[in-house]
Coordinates of all heavy atoms in Angstrom, one line a residue:
L186 N 170.7 85.2 179.1 CA 170.6 83.8 179.3 C 172.0 83.1 179.6 O 172.1 82.4 180.5 CB 170.0 83.1 178.1 CG 169.8 81.6 178.1 CD1 168.9 81.2 179.2 CD2 169.3 81.1 176.7
R187 N 172.9 83.5 178.8 CA 174.3 83.0 178.9 C 174.9 83.4 180.3 O 175.4 82.6 180.9 CB 175.2 83.3 177.8 CG 176.6 82.8 177.9 CD 177.5 83.3 176.8 NE 176.8 82.7 175.6 CZ 177.4 82.0 174.7 NH1 178.6 81.8 174.7 NH2 176.7 81.5 173.6
E188 N 174.8 84.6 180.6 CA 175.2 85.2 181.9 C 174.7 84.4 183.1 O 175.5 84.0 184.0 CB 175.0 86.7 182.0 CG 175.8 87.4 181.2 CD 175.3 89.0 181.1 OE1 174.4 89.3 181.9 OE2 176.0 89.8 180.4
A189 N 173.4 84.3 183.0 CA 172.7 83.5 184.2 C 173.2 82.1 184.3 O 173.4 81.5 185.4 CB 171.2 83.6 184.0
R190 N 173.2 81.4 183.1 CA 173.7 80.0 183.0 C 175.1 79.9 183.7 O 175.4 79.1 184.5 CB 173.5 79.4 181.7 CG 174.1 78.0 181.6 CD 173.9 77.5 180.2 NE 174.8 78.1 179.2 CZ 176.1 77.9 179.2 NH1 176.8 77.2 179.9 NH2 176.9 78.6 178.2
K191 N 176.0 80.8 183.1 CA 177.3 80.7 183.6 C 177.5 81.1 185.1 O 178.4 80.4 185.8 CB 178.3 81.6 182.8 CG 178.5 81.1 181.4 CD 179.5 81.8 180.6 CE 179.6 81.1 179.3 NZ 181.0 81.0 178.8
R192 N 176.7 81.9 185.6 CA 176.7 82.2 187.0 C 176.4 81.0 187.9 O 176.9 80.8 189.0 CB 175.7 83.3 187.3 CG 175.8 84.1 188.7 CD 175.1 85.3 188.9 NE 173.8 85.4 188.1 CZ 173.7 86.2 187.1 NH1 174.7 87.0 186.7 NH2 172.4 86.3 186.5
L193 N 175.5 80.1 187.3 CA 175.2 78.9 188.0 C 176.2 77.8 187.8 O 176.1 76.7 188.4 CB 173.8 78.4 187.6 CG 172.6 79.2 188.0 CD1 171.3 78.6 187.6 CD2 172.6 79.3 189.6
K194 N 177.1 78.1 186.9 CA 178.1 77.0 186.5 C 177.6 75.7 186.0 O 178.0 74.6 186.4 CB 179.1 76.9 187.7 CG 179.8 78.2 188.0 CD 180.9 77.9 189.2 CE 181.7 79.1 189.4 NZ 181.7 79.7 190.7
I195 N 176.6 75.9 185.1 CA 176.0 74.7 184.5 C 176.2 74.7 183.0 O 176.3 75.8 182.5 CB 174.5 74.3 184.9 CG1 173.7 75.6 184.5 CG2 174.4 74.2 186.4 CD1 172.1 75.4 184.7
S196 N 176.2 73.5 182.3 CA 176.4 73.5 181.0 C 175.0 73.8 180.2 O 173.9 73.8 180.9 CB 176.9 72.2 180.5 OG 175.9 71.3 180.7
Q197 N 175.1 74.0 178.9 CA 173.9 74.2 178.1 C 172.9 72.9 178.3 O 171.8 73.0 178.4 CB 174.2 74.5 176.7 CG 174.8 75.9 176.5 CD 175.3 76.1 175.1 OE1 175.7 75.2 174.4 NE2 175.4 77.3 174.8
A198 N 173.6 71.8 178.2 CA 172.9 70.5 178.3 C 172.2 70.4 179.7 O 171.1 70.0 179.8 CB 173.8 69.3 178.0
Q199 N 172.9 70.8 180.7 CA 172.3 70.6 182.0 C 171.1 71.6 182.2 O 170.1 71.2 182.8 CB 173.4 71.0 183.1 CG 174.4 69.9 183.3 CD 175.6 70.4 184.2 OE1 176.2 71.5 184.0 NE2 176.0 69.6 185.1
L200 N 171.3 72.8 181.7 CA 170.1 73.7 181.8 C 168.9 73.1 181.0 O 167.8 73.2 181.5 CB 170.6 75.1 181.2 CG 169.4 76.2 181.1 CD1 168.7 76.4 182.4 CD2 169.9 77.4 180.5
G201 N 169.2 72.7 179.8 CA 168.1 72.2 179.0 C 167.3 71.0 179.7 O 166.1 71.0 179.7
I202 N 168.1 70.1 180.2 CA 167.5 69.0 181.0 C 166.7 69.4 182.0 O 165.6 69.0 182.4 CB 168.6 67.9 181.2 CG1 169.2 67.3 180.0 CG2 168.1 66.8 182.3 CD1 170.5 66.5 180.1
L203 N 167.3 70.4 182.9 CA 166.7 71.0 184.1 C 165.3 71.6 183.7 O 164.4 71.5 184.5 CB 167.5 72.1 184.6 CG 167.1 72.8 186.0 CD1 167.1 71.9 187.1 CD2 168.1 73.9 186.2
I204 N 165.2 72.2 182.6 CA 163.9 72.7 182.3 C 163.0 71.8 181.4 O 161.9 72.1 181.0 CB 164.1 74.1 181.5 CG1 164.7 73.8 180.1 CG2 164.8 75.0 182.2 CD1 164.5 75.0 179.2
G205 N 163.4 70.6 181.4 CA 162.5 69.5 180.8 C 162.7 69.2 179.4 O 161.8 68.6 178.7
L206 N 163.8 69.7 178.7 CA 164.0 69.4 177.3 C 164.5 67.9 177.2 O 165.1 67.5 178.1 CB 165.0 70.3 176.7 CG 164.6 71.8 176.6 CD1 165.8 72.6 176.1 CD2 163.4 72.0 175.9
D207 N 164.3 67.3 176.1 CA 164.8 66.0 175.8 C 166.3 66.0 175.9 O 166.9 66.9 175.3 CB 164.4 65.5 174.4 CG 164.9 64.1 174.1 OD1 166.0 63.9 173.6 OD2 164.0 63.2 174.3
P208 N 167.0 65.1 176.7 CA 168.4 65.1 176.8 C 169.1 65.1 175.5 O 170.2 65.6 175.3 CB 168.7 63.9 177.6 CG 167.4 63.6 178.5 CD 166.3 64.0 177.5
G209 N 168.5 64.6 174.4 CA 169.2 64.4 173.1 C 169.3 65.7 172.4 O 170.1 65.9 171.5
V210 N 168.4 66.7 172.8 CA 168.4 67.9 172.1 C 168.7 69.1 173.0 O 168.8 70.2 172.5 CB 167.1 68.2 171.2 CG1 167.0 67.1 170.2 CG2 165.9 68.3 172.2
A211 N 168.8 68.9 174.3 CA 168.9 70.0 175.3 C 170.0 70.9 175.0 O 169.8 72.1 175.0 CB 169.1 69.4 176.7
S212 N 171.2 70.5 174.8 CA 172.3 71.3 174.6 C 172.3 72.1 173.3 O 172.5 73.3 173.3 CB 173.7 70.5 174.5 OG 174.7 71.3 174.3
A213 N 171.7 71.5 172.2 CA 171.6 72.2 171.0 C 170.5 73.3 171.0 O 170.7 74.4 170.5 CB 171.3 71.3 169.8
R214 N 169.5 73.0 171.7 CA 168.4 74.0 171.9 C 168.8 75.2 172.6 O 168.6 76.4 172.3 CB 167.1 73.3 172.5 CG 166.4 72.3 171.6 CD 165.1 72.9 171.0 NE 164.2 73.6 171.7 CZ 163.1 73.0 172.3 NH1 163.0 71.8 172.3 NH2 162.3 73.8 173.0
V215 N 169.5 74.9 173.9 CA 170.0 76.1 174.6 C 170.9 76.9 173.9 O 171.1 78.2 173.9 CB 170.4 75.6 175.9 CG1 171.0 76.8 176.7 CG2 169.3 75.0 176.9
N216 N 171.8 76.2 173.1 CA 172.8 76.9 172.3 C 172.2 77.8 171.3 O 172.6 78.9 171.2 CB 173.8 75.8 171.6 CG 174.8 76.5 170.8 OD1 174.6 76.8 169.6 ND2 175.9 76.8 171.4
R217 N 171.1 77.4 170.7 CA 170.4 78.2 169.7 C 169.8 79.4 170.3 O 169.8 80.5 169.7 CB 169.4 77.3 168.9 CG 170.1 76.4 168.0 CD 169.0 75.6 167.2 NE 169.7 74.7 166.3 CZ 169.6 73.4 166.4 NH1 168.7 72.8 167.2 NH2 170.2 72.6 165.5
Y218 N 169.4 79.2 171.6 CA 168.9 80.4 172.3 C 170.0 81.4 172.6 O 169.8 82.6 172.5 CB 168.2 80.0 173.6 CG 166.9 79.1 173.4 CD1 166.7 78.2 174.4 CD2 166.1 79.1 172.2 CE1 165.5 77.3 174.3 CE2 165.1 78.2 172.1 CZ 164.8 77.3 173.1 OH 163.8 76.4 173.0
E219 N 171.1 80.8 173.1 CA 172.3 81.7 173.5 C 172.9 82.4 172.2 O 173.4 83.5 172.3 CB 173.2 81.0 174.2 CG 172.8 80.6 175.6 CD 173.9 79.9 176.5 OE1 175.0 79.8 176.0 OE2 173.5 79.6 177.6
Q220 N 172.8 81.7 171.1 CA 173.3 82.4 169.8 C 172.3 83.2 169.0 O 172.7 83.6 168.0 CB 173.8 81.2 168.9 CG 174.8 80.4 169.5 CD 176.2 81.1 169.8 OE1 176.5 82.0 169.0 NE2 176.8 80.9 171.0
A221 N 171.1 83.4 169.7 CA 170.1 84.1 169.0 C 169.6 83.6 167.7 O 169.1 84.4 166.8 CB 170.5 85.6 168.8
V222 N 169.7 82.3 167.5 CA 169.1 81.7 166.4 C 167.7 81.6 166.5 O 166.9 81.7 165.5 CB 169.8 80.3 166.1 CG1 169.2 79.6 164.9 CG2 171.3 80.5 165.9
H223 N 167.3 81.2 167.6 CA 165.8 81.0 168.0 C 165.4 81.7 169.3 O 166.3 81.8 170.1 CB 165.4 79.6 168.1 CG 165.5 78.8 166.9 ND1 164.8 79.0 165.8 CD2 166.4 77.8 166.6 CE1 165.1 78.1 164.8 NE2 166.2 77.4 165.2
L224 N 164.2 82.1 169.4 CA 163.7 82.6 170.7 C 162.7 81.6 171.2 O 161.9 81.2 170.4 CB 163.0 84.1 170.5 CG 162.4 84.7 171.8 CD1 163.6 85.1 172.7 CD2 161.7 86.0 171.4
P225 N 162.8 81.2 172.4 CA 161.8 80.2 172.9 C 160.5 80.7 173.0 O 160.3 82.0 173.2 CB 162.5 79.8 174.3 CG 163.4 80.9 174.6 CD 163.9 81.6 173.4
D226 N 159.4 79.8 173.1 CA 158.1 80.3 173.3 C 158.0 80.7 174.7 O 158.9 80.4 175.6 CB 157.2 79.2 172.9 CG 157.3 77.9 173.7 OD1 157.7 77.9 174.9 OD2 157.0 76.8 173.2
Y227 N 156.8 81.3 175.2 CA 156.6 81.8 176.4 C 156.8 80.7 177.5 O 157.5 81.1 178.5 CB 155.2 82.5 176.5 CG 155.1 83.1 177.9 CD1 155.7 84.3 178.2 CD2 154.2 82.4 178.8 CE1 155.5 84.9 179.5 CE2 154.1 83.0 180.1 CZ 154.7 84.2 180.4 OH 154.4 84.7 181.7
D228 N 156.2 79.6 177.4 CA 156.3 78.6 178.4 C 157.8 78.2 178.6 O 158.1 77.9 179.7 CB 155.5 77.3 178.0 CG 154.0 77.6 178.1 OD1 153.5 78.5 178.8 OD2 153.3 76.8 177.4
T229 N 158.7 78.0 177.6 CA 160.0 77.7 177.7 C 160.7 78.9 178.4 O 161.7 78.7 179.2 CB 160.5 77.4 176.4 OG1 159.8 76.3 175.7 CG2 162.1 77.0 176.5
L230 N 160.4 80.2 178.1 CA 161.0 81.4 178.8 C 160.8 81.2 180.2 O 161.7 81.5 181.0 CB 160.4 82.6 178.1 CG 160.8 83.1 176.8 CD1 159.9 84.2 176.3 CD2 162.2 83.4 176.8
V231 N 159.5 80.9 180.6 CA 159.2 80.9 182.1 C 160.0 79.7 182.7 O 160.5 79.9 183.8 CB 157.8 80.6 182.2 CG1 157.4 80.3 183.7 CG2 156.9 81.8 181.9
R232 N 160.1 78.6 182.1 CA 161.0 77.4 182.5 C 162.4 77.8 182.6 O 163.1 77.4 183.6 CB 160.7 76.1 181.8 CG 159.3 75.5 181.9 CD 159.2 74.2 181.4 NE 159.9 73.9 180.2 CZ 159.3 74.0 179.0 NH1 158.0 74.2 178.9 NH2 160.1 73.6 178.0
L233 N 162.9 78.5 181.6 CA 164.3 78.9 181.7 C 164.6 79.9 182.9 O 165.6 79.7 183.6 CB 164.7 79.7 180.3 CG 165.0 78.7 179.2 CD1 165.0 79.6 177.9 CD2 166.3 78.0 179.4
A234 N 163.7 80.8 183.1 CA 163.9 81.8 184.2 C 163.9 81.0 185.5 O 164.7 81.3 186.3 CB 162.8 82.9 184.2
A235 N 162.9 80.1 185.7 CA 162.8 79.3 186.9 C 164.0 78.5 187.1 O 164.6 78.4 188.2 CB 161.5 78.4 186.9
G236 N 164.5 77.9 186.0 CA 165.6 77.0 186.1 C 166.9 77.7 186.5 O 167.8 77.2 187.2
L237 N 167.0 79.0 186.0 CA 168.1 79.8 186.3 C 168.0 80.6 187.5 O 168.9 81.4 188.0 CB 168.3 80.8 185.2 CG 168.8 80.1 183.8 CD1 168.6 81.1 182.6 CD2 170.2 79.5 183.9
N238 N 166.8 80.5 188.2 CA 166.5 81.2 189.5 C 166.6 82.6 189.2 O 167.2 83.4 190.1 CB 167.4 80.7 190.6 CG 166.9 81.1 191.9 OD1 165.7 81.3 192.1 ND2 167.8 81.2 192.9
V239 N 166.1 83.2 188.2 CA 166.0 84.6 187.9 C 164.6 85.0 187.5 O 163.9 84.1 186.9 CB 167.1 85.1 186.8 CG1 168.4 84.9 187.2 CG2 166.7 84.4 185.4
P240 N 164.1 86.3 187.7 CA 162.8 86.5 187.3 C 162.8 86.7 185.8 O 164.0 87.1 185.2 CB 162.5 87.9 188.0 CG 163.8 88.3 188.6 CD 164.8 87.2 188.6
L241 N 161.8 86.5 185.1 CA 161.7 86.6 183.7 C 162.1 88.0 183.1 O 162.8 88.1 182.2 CB 160.2 86.2 183.2 CG 160.1 86.1 181.7 CD1 161.1 85.2 181.0 CD2 158.7 85.8 181.4
P242 N 161.7 89.1 183.8 CA 162.2 90.4 183.2 C 163.7 90.5 183.2 O 164.2 91.3 182.4 CB 161.5 91.4 184.2 CG 160.4 90.6 184.8 CD 160.8 89.3 184.9

Side-chain angles (χ1 to χ4, degrees):
L186 177 64
R187 180 177 300 229
E188 289 170 357
R190 179 181 60 78
K191 288 188 176 225
R192 194 171 27 258
L193 290 180
K194 297 181 173 131
I195 61 174
S196 69
Q197 292 174 335
Q199 289 170 313
L200 175 58
I202 292 167
L203 178 67
I204 67 164
L206 298 177
D207 180 277
V210 300
S212 180
R214 289 263 306 271
V215 173
N216 180 270
R217 287 184 182 119
Y218 300 150
E219 289 186 4
Q220 296 300 318
V222 174
H223 296 292
L224 181 65
D226 62 32
Y227 181 76
D228 290 336
T229 304
L230 286 169
V231 171
R232 290 195 320 266
L233 282 165
L237 293 166
N238 198 30
V239 298
L241 187 55

